[in-house]
Amino acid sequence: MKVLVIGAGVGGTSAALALQRLGHDVVVYDQMRENKPVGAALSLWSNGVKVLNWLGLGDAVAALGGRMDLMAYYDGHTGEQMCRFSLDPVTTQTGQRPYPVARADLQALLMDAVGLDRIRLGMRLTGIDDDGTTVTATFADGSTDTADLLIGADGARSFTRDYVTADAATRPERTYSGYTNFNGLVPIDERIGPADQWTTYVAEGKRCAVMPVAGDRFYFFVDVPQPAGLPYDRAADGKAPLEAAFGGWGAPGVRALLDAIDPAASLNRVEIWDIDPFHTWVRGRVAILGDAAHNTTPDIGQGACSALEDSFALGIVFATNTLGIEDSLRRYQDIRSTRAGDLVLRARKRAHETHAFDPAATQAWYDGLRREDGTGVIRGIVGNIEGSPVNLGGGILA
């Protein structure tokens, strides 16, 4: 088959690789003009890493990943340790070590694996026509391309999603989570936290957290509950919103992190939205994948992993079913939409609990952290991984 993939992010490039490994002719289009991902880094939990292993990228991804052996929570006001424990049970229970990775590094790896000659940048999708035999994509510059099917991995504001759900009884709606995330990369500094630890400071429904990634760097991400639509100019405002939100905290590690952030070098501001779960992912020879299908908050770290699961499922259905493109795409939808929607709701619930939208629930969570030995947190992390389709079948494309 010839396949058009719209979107060169983690979901689009991994889907392209899965289909290429089956021998299909895949062309990827993206409206970005160069590899500048939104967000500094991401969590690759065991389910996501397993998909990348299956795609033949295991060693390369391991080289990009940070060594995250421990997890700890601290009181943001005092710096007092609330709990600290090993993450080794995640590895032993799931069969794969998780890795935090810089998003640009992972995306560059995936794009190189697809082949830069197969990726067309600066191409914004403006039209889709499915005649029942082929699909034609039209782009803003007036050019077109025709293929046997089209996969829309074109993000949270997906053009392809609007096409796929045009006749659905209920159109999916994006929902503001109630908080804004600031993130970036800083050099590893033991004053912030150990180099092998996921370190999180919490208070007032806010959090400051760091994870290690390759290159002796911390990926930092901080959450500030606030209304949507507040103005922000990085050049003018820099880290002023972070000083306003966290400057009064007494934890030395928070102060060290704020001092380390260079807005000119690495600081992103992202309003966090998600999308109500829906189950219309396919229309004829067109399907959606990744954030286009299940945009989620980052509160359980499963956004990129869920997109990678989509790619795994897509590869499996085309490797094993023979009743045609439309049938295979419907099987992909059936495999993925319920689980992906469940992860969206789990992340939404977690965001509500941790950001003081219900102050009593957040205080109860803080109190629980002071008694935590790791058992409850590990159970939650592994629970998000266990339902992955990658745990049920592998090696089909080997």
Side-chain angles (χ1 to χ4, degrees):
M1 301 183 298
K2 180 178 178 181
V3 183
L4 305 182
V5 175
I6 309 300
V10 171
T13 50
S14 60
L17 279 174
L19 294 171
Q20 281 181 329
R21 294 188 72 191
L22 290 170
H24 301 302
D25 176 17
V26 184
V27 185
V28 180
Y29 289 91
D30 198 295
Q31 63 182 353
M32 69 177 179
R33 297 192 177 278
E34 56 183 313
N35 180 15
K36 286 189 174 180
V38 176
L42 49 84
S43 303
L44 283 180
W45 290 103
S46 307
N47 50 327
V49 178
K50 285 183 179 183
V51 175
L52 293 163
N53 293 344
W54 175 75
L55 290 171
L57 300 175
D59 290 344
V61 171
L64 298 180
R67 181 84 185 186
M68 192 171 70
D69 294 328
L70 301 164
M71 183 176 185
Y73 281 89
Y74 300 88
D75 185 301
H77 289 307
T78 66
E80 174 193 1
Q81 180 178 297
M82 303 168 80
C83 61
R84 186 171 188 254
F85 48 87
S86 171
L87 285 170
D88 185 63
V90 175
T91 301
T92 57
Q93 291 179 42
T94 65
Q96 172 60 56
R97 168 182 283 274
Y99 305 118
V101 297
R103 187 180 290 267
D105 293 346
L106 178 62
Q107 192 161 324
L109 171 67
L110 288 164
M111 291 172 72
D112 286 343
V114 171
L116 297 180
D117 61 322
R118 308 304 298 165
I119 300 174
R120 314 280 190 263
L121 300 181
M123 301 292 288
R124 181 170 61 86
L125 182 69
T126 58
I128 299 172
D129 179 55
D130 180 352
D131 65 9
T133 303
T134 59
V135 181
T136 298
T138 301
F139 299 93
D141 65 358
S143 65
T144 63
D145 199 353
T146 298
D148 296 291
L149 73 151
L150 183 148
I151 303 298
D154 46 348
R157 296 179 176 84
S158 168
F159 180 94
T160 314
R161 181 178 64 233
D162 290 343
Y163 170 84
V164 166
T165 62
D167 298 327
T170 302
R171 298 292 294 278
E173 297 290 339
R174 297 179 72 233
T175 303
Y176 182 55
S177 70
Y179 75 91
T180 296
N181 177 272
F182 293 81
N183 63 77
L185 298 167
V186 296
I188 283 180
D189 184 339
E190 295 277 344
R191 295 176 300 168
I192 303 170
D196 61 350
Q197 178 174 286
W198 177 5
T199 300
T200 305
Y201 298 88
V202 294
E204 304 169 358
K206 307 171 193 174
R207 68 173 173 174
C208 284
V210 296
M211 288 179 165
V213 299
D216 295 321
R217 297 170 295 173
F218 276 143
Y219 162 46
F220 71 84
F221 50 102
V222 304
D223 296 343
V224 182
Q226 58 184 209
L230 295 180
Y232 176 75
D233 183 295
R234 187 172 74 169
D237 300 326
K239 57 185 176 182
L242 303 184
E243 292 286 355
F246 302 102
W249 284 17
V254 174
R255 183 69 261 165
L257 173 60
L258 294 178
D259 290 343
I261 295 171
D262 178 0
S266 183
L267 180 60
N268 308 293
R269 178 185 183 274
V270 184
E271 288 186 351
I272 303 300
W273 295 67
D274 67 11
I275 193 163
D276 293 336
F278 64 102
H279 304 287
T280 302
W281 288 22
V282 172
R283 179 179 172 187
R285 292 170 172 258
V286 179
I288 52 175
L289 179 151
D291 281 351
H294 46 75
N295 185 206
T296 184
T297 72
D299 292 85
I300 61 172
Q302 282 289 328
C305 295
S306 197
L308 288 163
E309 287 186 5
D310 293 344
S311 298
F312 178 83
L314 194 69
I316 293 297
V317 297
F318 278 107
T320 58
N321 294 283
T322 59
L323 299 183
I325 289 170
E326 293 91 339
D327 175 81
S328 292
L329 291 179
R330 285 193 297 270
R331 294 176 190 276
Y332 154 73
Q333 172 184 269
D334 291 345
I335 291 170
R336 290 295 302 138
S337 69
T338 297
R339 169 165 164 79
D342 179 58
L343 291 177
V344 170
L345 295 179
R346 290 189 202 184
R348 183 182 290 179
K349 180 179 179 181
R350 179 73 167 161
H352 190 83
E353 177 186 44
T354 59
H355 292 96
F357 303 131
D358 179 345
T362 302
Q363 185 59 52
W365 178 57
Y366 291 164
D367 293 342
L369 287 176
R370 296 182 185 279
R371 301 186 298 270
E372 179 65 63
D373 64 359
T375 303
V377 174
I378 297 295
R379 184 188 305 117
I381 292 171
V382 173
N384 295 330
I385 295 168
E386 283 179 335
S388 171
V390 78
N391 293 329
L392 303 176
I396 291 176
L397 296 191

